[in-house]
Amino acid sequence: MNMQDAANSADAMLDATLKAVVPEVQWAHDTTTSGSCTVTRRRAVTTIVSEQRRGSFLGVIERFWKKSGYEITGVNPHQEAPAIFARTSDGFMLSVEVAYKGQAFFDVTTPCVEKSDVAEPTTEPNGPTHPLGEIPVPNVRSDFWSGTTPAPAPSS
């Protein structure tokens, strides 16, 4: 596997993770970085996920990652900046972190693979395209995710 193959796998993980969020949230590509043998793909959520719904949002992600066979390696329960970290069996590292204004950021870092050029992601965002480094704070309202009442408990 080379760096482009690994980046494609990271994109597929991000695609599947974001598709697992129902109702959907809008997202945009964030910067891609390459190390000597790794690649990190990033996406930023532009939908407002209210403080009251963050736990539900992160719960959807954590359940999807577990269902996908990923090992949850850490959870930061911080009230304003919670995060979840995971690892795949083949060494990809995933994270979702809530930051300033409640914006959720997804990262997938590849394991060390054969050096190669890496193209920008080809997946189309499900909202406006923003220049890298100029993604706005969350500004898209969702009847569900932007709500101010606690989300109903998921049924088993």
Side-chain angles (χ1 to χ4, degrees):
M1 179 182 288
N2 65 29
M3 291 170 76
Q4 182 62 60
D5 296 331
N8 292 344
S9 292
D11 289 336
M13 290 175 201
L14 289 165
D15 290 345
T17 298
L18 285 158
K19 284 181 183 160
V21 178
V22 177
E24 76 176 0
V25 292
Q26 280 193 15
W27 59 270
H29 288 288
D30 208 344
T31 55
T32 293
T33 54
S34 300
S36 59
C37 65
T38 62
V39 177
T40 301
R41 291 288 212 209
R42 296 178 178 87
R43 294 191 186 169
V45 174
T46 55
T47 297
I48 299 164
V49 178
S50 69
E51 186 176 338
Q52 294 83 353
R53 299 289 168 101
R54 281 183 206 149
S56 296
F57 177 78
L58 293 171
V60 167
I61 304 306
E62 183 174 6
R63 286 188 297 280
F64 177 75
W65 285 352
K66 285 179 178 177
K67 180 180 153 193
S68 299
Y70 306 162
E71 173 192 0
I72 303 302
T73 59
V75 174
N76 178 355
H78 190 273
Q79 181 69 26
E80 292 176 22
I84 301 171
F85 305 90
R87 178 178 41 233
T88 68
S89 60
D90 51 357
F92 286 78
M93 305 296 289
L94 300 90
S95 68
V96 58
E97 300 179 65
V98 176
Y100 181 70
K101 299 274 187 180
Q103 189 155 36
F105 291 94
F106 288 89
D107 290 6
V108 176
T109 300
T110 70
C112 186
V113 294
E114 182 183 323
K115 181 104 175 131
S116 72
D117 289 336
V118 178
E120 290 299 323
T122 58
T123 306
E124 288 295 322
N126 66 350
T129 301
H130 302 282
L132 295 178
E134 296 181 29
I135 298 169
V137 295
N139 60 3
V140 178
R141 289 213 46 86
S142 160
D143 288 343
F144 180 78
W145 293 114
S146 306
T148 57
T149 58
S155 55
S156 305

